[in-house]
Amino acid sequence: MKIVTVVGARPQFIKAAVVSRILRKQAEEILVHTGQHHDYNMSDVFFEELEIPKPDYNLGISGGSHGKMTGAMLGAIEEVLMKEKPDALLVYGDTNSTLAAALAAVKLHIPVCHAEAGNRLGSFDNPEEVNRICTDHVARKLLACTESAMEFLKHEGIADRAVLVGDPMYDAFCYYGDKAGMAQNHVLTGFNGEKLSVPEKFYYLTCHRQENTDDPEKLLNILKAVNSLDAPCVYPVHPRNRQTVMALRGEYALKNMVFCEPVGYLTSVALVKNAEKIVTDSGGLQREAFFAGKQCVTVFDYVVWPETMTANRNQLAKPDSQDILTKLSAEQVIDPAYKPFGDGHAGDKIVKELLSI
Ligand code: UDP
């Protein structure tokens, strides 16, 4: 059986690392990288560290408006699919790469398998919501991470194509967790290439969604909150908002911040495991905080992973310093028996379902 997998963004590389390892023992996989994330520290480092096979195609498409990017990918992926004639297409998550690949395949009558199906925020204000919904509705197999995702698919009348497999990000966290080691053994890179060490005690921030970073005022509120904590805050800055962060850093005294370039996955996992607490707007990081039992505040208007929102383990906050600090100070309660993201073997189940198409 021949499968084309399309990836393009950081979180998809992590999921592909888990699934490709298993898939390639049982089928031929052609890996297509759209180029959506292309810098060394947003792409290559993941392929190297996680030993992801080299992409068979790199389409080199990134930047521009959502429509332009998605359109360019649609045409380029269609060409690959027409040449390779796979038995099925595998896509992950909710990026423009996901939607473009799904549309290209369905029009060529190639069955689509969507991993991380069924997540809904309930608003098109979030640019990825349309990608999630459209991909799910054209896909043949919907592989959900959680019960709540299954419920959304049921409400939309497409649960007959859905299977609960668990979260491949949890698989990755279990598989690579030990390899990551202590955060203090990792070295961070500053904006001028200087080497920075990870403090003994620290908080971990990631913040890159356009909802929080397009308006510098909102980002500043978030930075002021974490800057006022009782230990330094490590913040690997996404290329999308590097300029804004550099301007704010120059203008305000943010002395308690450790700003750095994006880190590789192993460093990120080590930071999660050793941080005091986590502030993020990332879908992946809020789950990883949960996996590690670290308290998280998610600066976002919508619940993305309802299973994490229990006993103060993950709380939503506005991009408002006081709100973030209040939520961070609430005490979390952990029930070790509560494991809503599966058993760490989602990858096996994804491959099984994919090969059953
Ligand atoms: N991540 C990383 N380096 C960083 C920041 C994040 O390796 O500097 C990892 C982390 O494991 C996170 C994943 O990338 O879960 C997803 O990234 P992102 O926040 O870009 O995407 P989202 O999960 O919001 O779709």
Side-chain angles (χ1 to χ4, degrees):
M1 196 165 174
K2 186 178 192 178
I3 308 294
V4 165
T5 300
V6 176
V7 294
R10 182 163 72 176
Q12 294 166 335
F13 308 144
I14 301 165
K15 292 160 207 164
V18 167
V19 175
S20 289
R21 196 179 317 113
I22 302 164
L23 177 61
R24 284 177 185 233
K25 290 187 186 139
Q26 302 173 54
E28 181 189 359
E29 184 186 39
I30 304 291
L31 188 61
V32 180
H33 186 331
T34 60
Q36 191 172 341
H37 283 171
H38 51 87
D39 297 338
Y40 176 82
N41 53 22
M42 293 296 289
S43 174
D44 305 49
V45 66
F46 292 87
F47 283 79
E48 287 172 15
E49 272 190 349
L50 310 185
E51 297 171 323
I52 306 167
K54 215 172 131 45
D56 298 278
Y57 296 85
N58 196 324
L59 307 178
I61 301 166
S62 70
S65 66
H66 280 280
K68 244 191 192 145
M69 191 203 297
T70 312
M73 287 174 182
L74 180 56
I77 295 168
E78 184 180 59
E79 274 181 33
V80 173
L81 294 177
M82 288 195 320
K83 183 166 162 232
E84 295 291 343
K85 300 188 176 32
D87 299 296
L89 171 90
L90 173 62
V91 285
Y92 300 95
D94 56 17
T95 68
N96 291 338
S97 304
T98 313
L99 176 63
L103 290 178
V106 76
K107 281 176 176 271
L108 293 170
H109 306 289
I110 296 166
V112 176
C113 181
H114 185 205
E116 207 176 278
N119 293 354
R120 297 290 183 267
L121 272 57
S123 169
F124 284 123
D125 285 347
N126 174 252
E128 286 87 24
E129 184 82 346
V130 66
N131 297 347
R132 297 182 192 103
I133 294 177
C134 293
T135 304
D136 281 343
H137 281 260
V138 300
R140 177 86 61 88
K141 278 268 182 198
L142 302 171
L143 306 179
C145 297
T146 58
E147 293 282 0
S148 62
M150 289 294 286
E151 277 303 306
F152 282 121
L153 295 170
K154 202 153 115 193
H155 284 140
E156 291 174 22
I158 49 176
D160 54 331
R161 292 181 258 148
V163 182
L164 178 62
V165 292
D167 185 357
M169 286 296 268
Y170 183 48
D171 293 24
F173 194 82
C174 298
Y175 187 84
Y176 295 105
D178 288 341
K179 288 190 190 161
M182 291 296 291
Q184 290 75 15
N185 295 342
H186 293 254
V187 178
L188 310 171
T189 305
F191 291 157
N192 298 317
E194 72 279 23
K195 298 297 169 205
L196 305 169
S197 51
V198 177
E200 272 312 303
K201 178 179 173 185
F202 66 92
Y203 293 83
Y204 183 20
L205 168 72
T206 76
C207 181
H208 70 273
R209 283 191 194 262
Q210 65 186 58
E211 291 92 325
N212 285 328
T213 59
D214 280 0
D215 176 358
E217 194 71 31
K218 289 185 181 169
L219 183 55
L220 179 61
N221 290 340
I222 298 167
L223 294 179
K224 279 184 174 166
V226 290
N227 187 63
S228 73
L229 292 165
D230 60 348
C233 181
V234 175
Y235 178 22
V237 179
H238 194 287
R240 175 192 283 162
N241 50 315
R242 196 176 199 271
Q243 290 307 323
T244 319
V245 170
M246 284 178 86
L248 293 173
R249 186 179 71 155
E251 208 171 324
Y252 298 89
L254 297 165
K255 297 266 183 287
N256 211 17
M257 300 296 302
V258 181
F259 295 104
C260 63
E261 296 286 357
V263 295
Y265 179 69
L266 297 182
T267 306
S268 184
V269 167
L271 289 170
V272 168
K273 289 182 121 181
N274 292 279
E276 296 298 306
K277 296 184 181 189
I278 290 166
V279 177
T280 191
D281 58 6
S282 155
L285 218 83
Q286 57 186 286
R287 268 129 82 211
E288 288 158 354
F290 183 89
F291 304 153
K294 297 290 172 172
Q295 187 167 4
C296 182
V297 168
T298 298
V299 187
F300 199 47
D301 282 339
Y302 306 98
V303 172
V304 187
W305 293 96
E307 282 79 3
T308 63
M309 299 273 163
T310 175
N312 292 337
R313 294 187 63 177
N314 183 18
Q315 301 170 83
L316 293 185
K318 299 274 172 216
D320 170 272
S321 300
Q322 198 45 57
D323 194 27
I324 294 168
L325 292 173
T326 305
K327 301 274 163 61
L328 268 181
S329 66
E331 208 164 308
Q332 69 166 349
V333 182
I334 296 179
D335 170 3
Y338 178 56
K339 293 199 177 294
F341 291 96
D343 58 3
H345 293 286
D348 294 300
K349 293 169 199 152
I350 290 171
V351 170
K352 181 169 165 258
E353 292 302 327
L354 178 59
L355 297 185
S356 76
I357 281 180

